Amino acid sequence: MNVIKAQDLHLLERRLPLFPWYVEQYIQHKLADLSPSTLLEYTRDFEMFFHWMIQEGLSSALSMDQITLFDLEQLNLQNIDTYKLHLQLRNQNSKVTRERKIASLKSLFHYLSQIAEDDDHYPLLKRNVMAKLKTQRLTNAKLMASRLHGKILEDDTEIHDFCAFIARDCITQISDNPQALHYYQMNRVRDTAIVTLILASGMRVSEVVNLDIDDIDVTKKVAHIYRKGSKDPGIKQSIFFTETGKEALVQYLQMRSIVYPHDRTEKALFLAIPRGASQAKRMSKRAIQQMVSKYAAAFGKPMLTVHKLRHSFATSYYLKNDIYKTQRQLGHASTDTTELYAQLTDKTMEAAINRL
């Protein structure tokens, strides 16, 4: 099991006692099909919903672990509509996020009413209010493309400019800040390598975090990674990266052990020195996300995130290849997901013509 999944499984196991017994039963059932990272997100959705039920007086429970199946059976459509409005009024919840939170609940309620049984072989949940809901498809390619337009790196020129900004041009914005300048000079080669590798391969941030130094073959320009959603989650798959990615990695590998002293047992490719520590450890997913957001804001693309770097790569890659090669490179289960980049390339080509 890769590093992030192992960490999320540990955190998931620590959180489960906070929930009603039937949630733990649901999680145990789903572990065969879904990753611990996905199920951890589900529990956060459940937690928000259960706390809302208590606040609204829809359960007499004092804590969410005391919410009963009977409490769930008494919910009606008006209650659910009120909860959806509650999610909408929370500014941090986009439409996609709201739909995902409802989908998580639908999955739990479906399990309790259609799969799980009591000792007498009757469903645990006798009435499922969530079955009456119709959640929108989240994979509408045109809708997703319109949301991403202007929030990714639009073409190869902008991709090159962003990497160059991290590698050297960012210094002009922090030259009067000694502390920021110190950390930039120390980490810029590593940061450039991370961003360039994503833009040179389309890797997910979790796949980058999980990379060990032995997973990279710079000569063949191949990385061996644990693929999200793979049918063989314990087996690494090979993914190619470009010559640009190779050059950035070679520069980083030349200084990795010098700038980031570490224990002999530390095999992580990308390292960071935690505050107050003398030894470097595997760079975390959150640290990479924050790093990309920092550079994106300074570059003038504040909506650019580490995941949108993957979208940027995929759009550029799709312009030069077909949908099936793009599907394989990104590790999508079907071309339905990859169809997003057909829509994005239309937007990208339109933007290029307008610039001309």
Side-chain angles (χ1 to χ4, degrees):
M1 182 178 292
N2 66 47
V3 176
I4 291 182
K5 286 185 178 179
Q7 291 173 345
D8 286 345
L9 179 60
H10 177 66
L11 185 55
L12 182 65
E13 291 171 345
R14 288 178 55 191
R15 283 175 56 82
L16 283 179
L18 302 174
F19 290 88
W21 61 271
Y22 49 82
V23 170
E24 181 173 1
Q25 186 172 314
Y26 165 82
I27 296 295
Q28 294 297 333
H29 172 76
K30 284 292 185 179
L31 271 173
D33 302 315
L34 299 177
S35 73
S37 305
T38 298
L39 292 172
L40 185 60
E41 287 300 315
Y42 278 24
T43 61
R44 290 173 179 140
D45 296 339
F46 300 157
E47 181 177 17
M48 180 179 292
F49 181 69
F50 288 151
H51 282 311
W52 174 82
M53 283 184 62
I54 294 172
Q55 291 168 3
E56 292 293 309
L58 298 173
S59 171
S60 60
L62 299 178
S63 59
M64 65 178 181
D65 64 307
Q66 298 174 4
I67 293 178
T68 65
L69 290 168
F70 180 77
D71 292 333
L72 301 185
E73 289 174 342
Q74 299 308 301
L75 294 170
N76 56 45
L77 272 178
Q78 184 177 352
N79 298 143
I80 304 305
D81 287 340
T82 302
Y83 180 64
K84 291 170 72 174
L85 179 61
H86 167 74
L87 292 177
Q88 188 173 345
L89 294 175
R90 292 170 63 96
N91 293 331
Q92 68 268 37
N93 288 322
S94 67
K95 185 175 182 180
V96 172
T97 302
R98 296 196 303 269
E99 288 290 335
R100 194 212 70 223
K101 290 181 181 297
I102 295 299
S104 301
L105 292 171
K106 283 177 67 72
S107 177
L108 173 64
F109 277 63
H110 174 78
Y111 167 77
L112 295 175
S113 62
Q114 300 296 320
I115 299 174
E117 297 178 342
D118 61 20
D119 293 338
D120 296 320
H121 307 295
Y122 287 103
L124 289 182
L125 196 67
K126 308 301 188 292
R127 178 177 171 276
N128 178 8
V129 67
M130 291 292 176
K132 299 181 180 181
L133 294 182
K134 293 182 180 180
T135 53
Q136 298 178 7
R137 282 198 60 172
L138 302 182
T139 54
N140 185 306
K142 289 185 178 180
L143 178 62
M144 290 294 289
S146 65
R147 286 173 177 161
L148 286 172
H149 182 51
K151 299 176 183 177
I152 65 173
L153 301 171
E154 301 287 349
D155 51 34
D156 288 348
T157 299
E158 198 169 22
I159 287 174
H160 172 271
D161 290 347
F162 185 57
C163 293
F165 178 79
I166 298 173
R168 59 177 184 271
D169 299 340
C170 181
I171 196 169
T172 60
Q173 297 193 19
I174 59 174
S175 57
D176 58 346
N177 185 330
Q179 185 177 24
L181 186 60
H182 167 74
Y183 284 111
Y184 169 70
Q185 294 283 31
M186 182 175 76
N187 296 318
R188 69 181 182 85
V189 175
R190 179 202 65 189
D191 296 349
T192 302
I194 292 172
V195 170
T196 304
L197 181 60
I198 296 173
L199 289 169
S201 65
M203 286 190 204
R204 299 174 176 88
V205 62
S206 59
E207 293 164 352
V208 173
V209 170
N210 284 315
L211 282 173
D212 288 337
I213 195 164
D214 295 335
D215 293 331
I216 294 289
D217 186 332
V218 291
T219 303
K220 296 180 179 179
K221 292 180 286 190
V222 170
H224 306 289
I225 62 175
Y226 290 109
R227 273 295 194 192
K228 177 183 177 183
S230 170
K231 294 180 180 178
D232 298 306
I235 300 176
K236 292 183 178 180
Q237 299 180 21
S238 299
I239 181 173
F240 292 94
F241 51 86
T242 66
E243 183 69 21
T244 306
K246 172 184 174 179
E247 293 170 359
L249 279 171
V250 167
Q251 290 186 41
Y252 168 68
L253 290 171
Q254 289 172 346
M255 50 77 73
R256 173 178 172 271
S257 296
I258 301 172
V259 179
Y260 305 101
H262 53 276
D263 187 89
R264 288 183 180 180
T265 60
E266 182 55 77
K267 300 299 183 182
L269 174 61
F270 293 113
L271 300 172
I273 303 176
R275 184 170 297 180
S278 59
Q279 296 286 305
K281 296 185 180 298
R282 186 182 300 271
M283 196 172 181
S284 69
K285 178 180 177 180
R286 181 171 178 79
I288 294 179
Q289 290 170 331
Q290 290 176 333
M291 177 267 288
V292 171
S293 296
K294 175 187 67 177
Y295 286 120
F299 183 69
K301 280 257 185 181
M303 300 301 290
L304 181 66
T305 62
V306 67
H307 191 64
K308 291 187 178 72
L309 294 181
R310 173 174 157 89
H311 289 317
S312 301
F313 162 82
T315 305
S316 175
Y317 188 86
Y318 184 83
L319 280 168
K320 304 177 184 70
N321 297 278
D322 59 40
I323 194 169
Y324 300 104
K325 289 180 180 177
T326 307
Q327 175 195 356
R328 288 197 297 271
Q329 180 70 16
L330 296 175
H332 288 159
S334 73
T335 55
D336 290 344
T337 308
T338 318
E339 181 64 27
L340 163 66
Y341 303 107
Q343 305 296 329
L344 273 173
T345 49
D346 288 344
K347 295 284 185 182
T348 299
M349 294 174 72
E350 178 187 351
I353 292 295
N354 289 337
R355 283 197 295 275
L356 285 175

